Amino acid sequence: LTSGRKGSRGADTARKHLEAILLWWQWAEDESTDHGWVGIPRPPRKLRIARSPRAIPTAPTWAQMDGCIEHCRTPWHRHLATVLRFTGIRTGAALLLTWDDVDLDAGLLTLRPEITKGGYGGRRVPMSPHLVAELAGWGLREGFLVRAPEKERQAVRGELNADTGKAIRGKVQSYLNGAWNRAGVPEVVWKRAPGKAFRRGFTSQLKAARADTESVEFLVGHKIESVRASYLDTSALQALMASAVRLVPAIGAA
């Protein structure tokens, strides 16, 4: 659990792997009678797994995000970073967006449930006018929005290599690491989470500009708090979200 493909794993990563193993172990023990499985030892009743203190997040500024975009070395890297910077969505979702999800005339972006984390974050959100202008200059409007190698999308979808049976690994995180580093952005902003850094930046900078909290949460795909979710019709957030994305500056304008 403490050694990985690229060296040692952090304590939090090792804990997540251990929790997954314990969950599977418990499931196998629960199902053993119905399936006639034998020899499965009973899982431990409970393990107290220490959690590391949550680090204080350090979000990038708009200018730092723009620096990362400027130092992306290929068009698809730049396009991916641009989408992340203007939307705050997850890297995996951005790689799976298609041009069918984009309505430039209405300025709307559709996040299909199947491309969001856990499948629960499906939504239709307004786009920054600056993002609409960017996308209008990206050429052929068919297929995937970000024209990354297919291997990157296979990695997002959790596909296995047909020859080795091992999980396909993408390189998008290492590419973004390099761009942040070349831009001279401090590691505390992006290390171990180069894609999520844009998500932090988008959320934090909009809040600094006094955007409505719930509209920002909905834009990035966070669940609305359970009590409010029972009463809030998210269509009521459309105007607030439109106001929020208008606060996102054009690339290079910050």
Side-chain angles (χ1 to χ4, degrees), residues 70-102:
E70 181 183 349
H71 285 83
C72 289
R73 287 180 167 168
T74 66
W76 79 262
H77 297 151
R78 187 185 189 283
H79 287 175
L80 173 63
T82 298
V83 172
L84 298 180
R85 185 253 198 213
F86 274 107
T87 64
I89 65 175
R90 293 181 172 88
T91 305
L95 287 169
L96 296 177
L97 283 172
T98 70
W99 278 102
D100 289 337
D101 299 319
V102 177

Side-chain angles (χ1 to χ4, degrees), residues 8-56:
S8 61
R9 290 190 175 102
D12 287 339
T13 302
R15 175 180 54 76
K16 289 178 181 178
H17 283 295
L18 181 57
E19 288 174 343
I21 291 170
L22 292 174
L23 181 64
W24 174 85
W25 191 353
Q26 182 64 62
W27 172 84
E29 200 273 335
D30 291 342
E31 296 287 319
S32 60
T33 301
D34 291 344
H35 296 281
W37 297 334
V38 295
I40 298 176
R42 291 186 63 83
R45 290 187 177 182
K46 188 174 182 180
L47 287 181
R48 294 184 177 180
I49 306 173
R51 293 177 179 268
S52 302
R54 180 171 291 184
I56 299 174

Side-chain angles (χ1 to χ4, degrees), residues 209-254:
R210 300 189 177 184
D212 174 74
T213 297
E214 284 178 331
S215 64
V216 175
E217 293 295 294
F218 192 79
L219 282 167
V220 300
H222 286 163
K223 285 185 176 179
I224 303 297
E225 188 179 332
S226 58
V227 174
R228 294 202 305 280
S230 300
Y231 297 94
L232 181 64
D233 182 342
T234 53
S235 64
L237 295 177
Q238 290 300 318
L240 290 170
M241 287 192 291
S243 296
V245 295
R246 283 196 293 269
L247 296 171
V248 181
I251 293 175

